[in-house]
Amino acid sequence: MQSERIIQFLKDVSANNNRPWFLEHKKEYDTVRKDFEDGVAKAIGRLIEIDDSIAHLSVKDCTYRFYRDTRFSKDKSPYKNHLGAYISAHGKKALHGGYYIHLEPSHCLLACGSYWLPTNILTSCRNEIIGNIEEWRRIVEDPQFLDLFGAPGEGNWDSEKGFGLESLKTAPSGFPRDYQFMQYLRMKDYCCWKAVPETFFEGDRWLDEMLKVFVVAKPMMDFVNNVIDDYE
């Protein structure tokens, strides 16, 4: 990808987020969009090396509209300020965890896993963790995982790394408050992420680095997907 050009266009959109300006620069958007989608296609091709469950996906299955839905938002800006792709075997709208690529000025990142899970699925995930706590700890307390993503609650979406976007302040209902590894039960999602520089996606070398990150994240995602898939 020519990430420098993509990031510059996204900066320009943020500074001129209105329909007249966008229509004047529609050809530039089409060029940027195609470049991004070509990168997503290459990412799918590389990820198949570690996860053949996504082999059937097309770029369209993984990418989103650039136009914002402003019906229920105070922010009426018509266009997004980022490009993202969610590569999930069950599709971009599924609960099944997947791999996420995000390009945004000063906020590029790679993410993996699931978020915004319904309470009943979260409860099942928590029970699965308790029932297989040693396996779970081997995955999320592995030095490589901790180095890339950290422990639950250590970061937020704007941090350099993170594991879990939100956590309960206390033990979830129905679970023992004195459980030794409560930090994992308090999590409201099982998503991990790593921020990368704006220059990260330039060319094709980023595909190798992307794979290294997702190889480490995948066992955590697989553990949770084994629960989620019972509901989908």
Side-chain angles (χ1 to χ4, degrees):
M1 281 191 283
Q2 296 187 41
S3 61
E4 183 177 355
R5 181 175 63 184
I6 293 173
I7 293 295
Q8 184 57 56
F9 177 78
L10 294 172
K11 289 179 180 178
D12 292 342
V13 171
S14 296
N16 305 275
N17 204 323
N18 60 79
R19 183 173 173 79
W21 182 91
F22 187 82
L23 291 177
E24 289 180 7
H25 296 80
K26 183 62 164 54
K27 288 185 178 179
E28 185 179 354
Y29 165 73
D30 290 339
T31 299
V32 163
R33 181 79 183 189
K34 184 181 184 305
D35 188 18
F36 175 71
E37 290 181 348
D38 288 346
V40 173
K42 292 178 181 178
I44 294 170
R46 290 303 306 275
L47 285 168
I48 290 171
E49 297 176 16
I50 62 169
D51 188 348
D52 60 9
S53 73
I54 64 168
H56 64 285
L57 295 175
S58 68
V59 169
K60 187 178 180 180
D61 295 323
C62 307
T63 52
Y64 300 90
R65 286 168 51 86
F66 193 62
Y67 307 91
R68 296 181 62 248
D69 183 351
T70 62
R71 292 174 297 173
F72 308 106
S73 174
K74 293 181 179 179
D75 180 2
K76 299 302 180 182
S77 302
Y79 307 105
K80 297 176 181 177
N81 64 347
H82 66 272
L83 290 172
Y86 186 50
I87 304 170
S88 169
H90 293 191
K92 60 191 173 188
K93 295 183 179 180
L95 296 173
H96 182 92
Y99 314 92
Y100 182 60
I101 299 166
H102 185 89
L103 272 72
E104 180 182 348
S106 302
H107 194 215
C108 294
L109 56 85
L110 301 171
C112 183
S114 304
Y115 60 99
W116 304 125
L117 292 173
T119 301
N120 62 326
I121 298 181
L122 269 176
T123 298
S124 292
C125 288
R126 290 161 178 158
N127 282 320
E128 189 73 12
I129 288 171
I130 289 178
N132 300 276
I133 187 60
E134 293 306 319
E135 177 187 353
W136 176 254
R137 291 184 63 207
R138 278 196 299 271
I139 294 169
V140 301
E141 294 178 13
D142 180 271
Q144 283 187 297
F145 189 95
L146 289 171
D147 181 57
L148 280 173
F149 310 115
E154 287 186 350
N156 57 55
W157 195 241
D158 295 319
S159 304
E160 290 187 3
K161 62 183 179 181
F163 178 34
L165 289 165
E166 292 187 31
S167 292
L168 298 170
K169 293 182 180 180
T170 59
S173 176
F175 289 86
R177 293 180 176 273
D178 60 349
Y179 183 64
Q180 183 178 359
F181 304 105
M182 181 56 67
Q183 69 270 32
Y184 300 125
L185 306 189
R186 290 173 54 240
M187 297 176 72
K188 295 176 69 175
D189 61 86
Y190 296 98
C191 174
C192 59
W193 65 92
K194 175 178 173 57
V196 295
E198 290 182 355
T199 56
F200 177 82
F201 295 97
E202 192 68 26
D204 287 337
R205 293 183 63 184
W206 66 274
L207 295 164
D208 293 331
E209 297 305 312
M210 172 202 71
L211 209 61
K212 292 176 184 177
V213 171
F214 287 149
V215 162
V216 176
K218 185 176 182 294
M220 181 278 296
M221 181 184 73
D222 289 344
F223 185 104
V224 177
N225 275 341
N226 284 336
V227 178
I228 295 172
D229 290 349
D230 288 340
Y231 294 84
E232 289 195 322

